[in-house]
Amino acid sequence: MLLKREDSLLNDIFSKIDHEQELSKEDLVCLIALENAADLTRLYNLADRVRQKYVGDEVHLRGLIEFSNYCRKNCDYCGIRRGNRKIERYRMTIEEILDTVYEAAELGYRTVVLQSGEDMRYTADNLAELVRRIKRETDVAVTLSIGERSREEYERLYEAGADRFLLRFETSNRELYHRLHPDSNYDERMKILVWLREIGYQVGSGVMIGLPGQTIEDLALDILKFKELDLDMVGVGPYICHEETPLAGHANGTVEMTYKVIALTRIVTRYAHIPATTALATLRPDDGREEALQLGANVVMPNVTPVKYRALYELYPSKVCIREKATQCRGCIGGRILSLGRPISQGYGHSLYKKLNALGTAKFLKEDKK
Ligand code: SAM
Ligand code: SF4
């Protein structure tokens, strides 16, 4: 009797998805708790359908350049946190970063993501000049992922030509956030996401799945927060334990939970760009990215960092693709995507939200390829 009631509750929720109705926190909790293989397949198929309808079949590639592993912060989960004295630190020079951007552009990338720890040795002026040169000398969109700065610095970088900014809020549970971030503040982080939007950036954020102490209610609220923030990009990847952090010994997030959150993020946000993350590929190297692309994701971020630095950007252990050259990564990922029958986008892969509203679908697709 009880089972029957649960079945009908689940059918009602699936029917809501079918009819494109909003999901409540309770609906999301029920879906995140699913374990039965047939139910999960149904959820993933629905998410794949939503992906196809709202963002199409194209997969966008972003070339990821990890340009410094120095960080002033001490986030409890992160292998490059300030307190980890066991890693060798590196900083790429502006010329090295530019050379890497040229290489990425030559390999056909239309977006580069410049990511680092919070390294204040690169001033806003240094970075603005770098962005200006990238925009002048190559034909790529620029995404920054450099952590917390002042509003004025974000403004300067936007004026220099940066298109997008990635700043994960990591968890929407304020108490958990404060437990894991000894030197960050939840409200400040959220305020920055609002600034970035006001300034004009395409805004990306996201969370880790399986953080110690995180509940499925937290994950349901994370997904609703993505929607509330009207994000252009949402990155969700598993937490992977690094032994040189205060969280040593904790379990990793799971692949299945990551899949569920990706699928529900697609269903709830519809248009957001969602990457199949490197952390996911690390836990499931054979087909993690491919599976994610078939249940909601539409972006992959191959690493283009010079090989000599890759292993040093060790957010977590056993990261995939640390020995392959940029050309090899491009070829490998390209092959994996094409094997799914999905085309690789030739456009910049700008945000679908804003453009679609302003232009309508057909004109948007044309503009994005210019
Ligand atoms: N420092 C910037 C910041 O924190 O926004 C950008 C770089 S930071 C390394 C990029 C992301 O890596 C973080 O937002 C976090 O979600 C992720 N990350 C850090 N440590 C991780 C771990 N142990 N497992 C999985 N992801 C991790
Ligand atoms: Fe630094 Fe970002 Fe790692 Fe936190 S997550 S320690 S800010 S690199």
Side-chain angles (χ1 to χ4, degrees):
M1 186 67 184
L2 199 61
L3 271 181
K4 254 202 169 140
R5 213 174 321 133
E6 277 174 13
D7 262 0
S8 109
L9 179 68
L10 189 57
N11 278 330
D12 288 349
I13 303 176
F14 278 130
S15 150
K16 272 189 176 181
I17 300 177
D18 247 341
H19 293 92
E20 304 202 353
Q21 291 165 353
E22 305 256 309
L23 298 179
S24 65
K25 178 191 164 199
E26 291 68 32
D27 297 335
L28 290 169
V29 167
C30 177
L31 293 168
I32 297 170
L34 289 180
E35 283 182 352
N36 171 295
D39 293 336
L40 288 173
T41 303
R42 193 168 168 194
L43 175 68
Y44 298 157
N45 286 342
L46 282 170
D48 199 42
R49 227 173 61 200
V50 175
R51 187 269 307 153
Q52 190 169 38
K53 174 168 176 189
Y54 286 95
V55 297
D57 279 339
E58 286 194 332
V59 176
H60 302 279
L61 296 184
R62 327 284 202 201
L64 176 65
I65 305 174
E66 300 156 334
F67 66 91
S68 163
N69 70 352
Y70 280 87
C71 189
R72 63 175 173 171
K73 289 244 169 92
N74 236 347
C75 308
D76 272 5
Y77 42 80
C78 181
I80 65 169
R81 65 201 297 276
R82 175 184 81 230
N84 184 2
R85 308 243 174 271
K86 295 219 171 134
I87 56 163
E88 186 189 328
R89 302 278 171 174
Y90 73 92
R91 277 191 185 101
M92 287 170 64
T93 64
I94 296 290
E95 289 306 320
E96 271 181 303
I97 301 173
L98 263 175
D99 284 345
T100 311
V101 174
Y102 296 144
E103 193 187 348
E106 261 165 43
L107 285 170
Y109 289 102
R110 302 295 301 278
T111 293
V112 290
V113 180
L114 304 181
Q115 190 180 87
S116 66
E118 284 196 16
D119 184 355
M120 307 316 272
R121 192 69 76 81
Y122 300 86
T123 64
D125 281 343
N126 299 150
L127 293 171
E129 182 51 23
L130 170 66
V131 172
R132 261 192 294 275
R133 284 189 62 187
I134 294 175
K135 298 301 275 194
R136 211 168 39 225
E137 296 166 28
T138 66
D139 181 24
V140 295
V142 175
T143 303
L144 298 175
S145 174
I146 55 170
E148 298 183 22
R149 299 259 173 164
S150 69
R151 178 167 180 142
E152 194 258 329
E153 288 174 285
Y154 292 129
E155 281 168 352
R156 251 191 292 159
L157 293 166
Y158 182 73
E159 279 154 24
D163 302 275
R164 314 182 189 130
F165 204 101
L166 295 180
L167 188 83
R168 288 183 175 181
F169 58 78
E170 317 293 2
T171 172
S172 61
N173 177 331
R174 179 190 303 266
E175 203 239 303
L176 178 61
Y177 184 92
H178 285 134
R179 229 185 299 150
L180 298 173
H181 299 93
D183 40 21
S184 296
N185 178 281
Y186 177 83
D187 293 315
E188 294 291 315
R189 191 101 174 160
M190 288 298 185
K191 189 170 74 191
I192 293 173
L193 290 171
V194 175
W195 286 348
L196 294 168
R197 163 82 65 226
E198 287 170 355
I199 292 169
Y201 285 99
Q202 294 166 45
V203 183
S205 191
V207 299
M208 274 172 285
I209 311 297
L211 286 166
Q214 187 182 49
T215 64
I216 57 175
E217 279 79 13
D218 292 337
L219 292 171
L221 292 171
D222 291 346
I223 295 167
L224 292 174
K225 193 55 113 181
F226 299 151
K227 171 95 175 152
E228 181 192 320
L229 290 169
D230 196 19
L231 295 171
D232 300 296
M233 300 161 281
V234 181
V236 289
Y239 157 69
I240 302 176
C241 182
H242 192 298
E243 288 304 314
E244 295 300 329
T245 66
L247 299 180
H250 277 279
N252 295 335
T254 67
V255 170
E256 199 67 80
M257 189 59 87
T258 307
Y259 286 166
K260 288 190 260 189
V261 177
I262 290 176
L264 290 168
T265 299
R266 168 58 64 212
I267 288 166
V268 169
T269 68
R270 297 186 187 154
Y271 288 107
H273 283 307
I274 302 179
T277 60
T278 309
L280 177 62
T282 296
L283 291 190
R284 196 162 170 128
D286 288 345
D287 59 0
R289 277 178 290 212
E290 288 89 328
E291 295 207 319
L293 288 171
Q294 291 174 290
L295 49 82
N298 70 324
V299 172
V300 181
M301 294 166 62
N303 202 327
V304 295
T305 310
V307 173
K308 64 178 171 182
Y309 298 126
R310 283 207 201 165
L312 303 178
Y313 198 80
E314 195 193 54
L315 310 180
Y316 43 80
S318 312
K319 215 166 118 186
V320 283
C321 312
I322 54 169
R323 275 178 215 92
E324 291 79 1
K325 292 208 177 96
T327 34
Q328 290 167 304
C329 282
R330 176 66 184 74
C332 162
I333 302 263
R336 284 168 184 254
I337 294 167
L338 295 175
S339 76
L340 301 175
R342 299 269 291 276
I344 295 171
S345 166
Q346 303 301 314
Y348 299 110
H350 282 314
S351 169
L352 292 162
Y353 271 122
K354 284 193 239 161
K355 295 270 177 165
L356 268 176
N357 286 340
L359 298 169
T361 318
K363 183 132 190 279
F364 165 74
L365 291 171
K366 236 164 100 195
E367 292 273 309
D368 193 52
K369 294 201 164 45
K370 271 188 197 159

